Amino acid sequence: MPGAATTTDMTTDLADGLRLAVTRLARRLRQQTDVDASPTQVALLSTIERRGPITLGDLAAHERVRPPTVTAAVGRLEERGLIVRRADPDDRRVVRVEVTPAGRRLLARARSRKTAFLAKRLAELDERDRVVLRDAVEVLDRVLEHGSAGP
């Protein structure tokens, strides 16, 4: 079946191009931050804000990192006053972390600068390209919703 090989090749080429573009975009966005926090700390803080209060185990699972990594990063975030630990109201043995107002301000600064960078770049495009990208965002969200942890 000649069409099947062509479709597979096209899908592989698309996946390769998309991987490269997303990697480059992520790198450029990381460069836009003016906050005093590592990319890992900002990612954890963002997840805690979205999903918190959250246990360290759930945070590690969500971020797909080892628990010792989360424990160390959460310790640094807590030292800086960006998160607090609280006992679970239903089970006092369980600790949950949540973002403080200072943590929310740090995230807002980081997001604002990154959004401004993207908005400036997108404003340079014509309307047709912006519509294509708007549609691509919806498609990417669907790809990510149905994805699994494995390859």
Side-chain angles (χ1 to χ4, degrees), residues 33-58:
T33 188
D34 64 346
V35 297
D36 182 29
S38 72
T40 298
Q41 290 174 336
V42 172
L44 289 174
L45 196 57
S46 182
T47 298
I48 295 166
E49 180 189 47
R50 251 187 349 273
R51 299 189 175 268
I54 188 171
T55 66
L56 296 186
D58 288 345

Side-chain angles (χ1 to χ4, degrees), residues 71-122:
T71 300
V74 163
R76 288 187 291 276
L77 292 170
E78 186 177 32
E79 287 171 6
R80 297 184 55 204
L82 302 173
I83 62 163
V84 293
R85 296 178 198 240
R86 299 201 194 282
D88 185 288
D90 298 326
D91 184 348
R92 306 286 295 167
R93 297 170 296 175
V94 176
V95 174
R96 296 182 177 274
V97 291
E98 61 186 85
V99 178
T100 65
R104 290 185 199 290
R105 287 190 299 273
L106 182 139
L107 284 172
R109 280 194 319 271
R111 290 172 179 153
S112 176
R113 184 166 172 137
K114 291 173 184 184
T115 297
F117 167 79
L118 278 177
K120 181 178 178 184
R121 292 298 178 105
L122 293 173

Side-chain angles (χ1 to χ4, degrees), residues 1 19 22 29-30 34 46 58 62-63 66 70-71 75 78 96 104 106 109 111 113 120 125 128-129 131 142 148:
M1 288 175 46
R19 177 194 49 77
V22 168
L29 289 175
R30 276 192 308 274
D34 64 346
S46 182
D58 288 345
H62 181 75
E63 290 294 315
R66 295 172 23 106
V70 166
T71 300
E78 186 177 32
R96 296 182 177 274
R104 290 185 199 290
L106 182 139
R109 280 194 319 271
R111 290 172 179 153
R113 184 166 172 137
K120 181 178 178 184
L125 300 176
R128 186 179 139 278
D129 285 343
V131 168
R142 286 198 311 270
S148 65

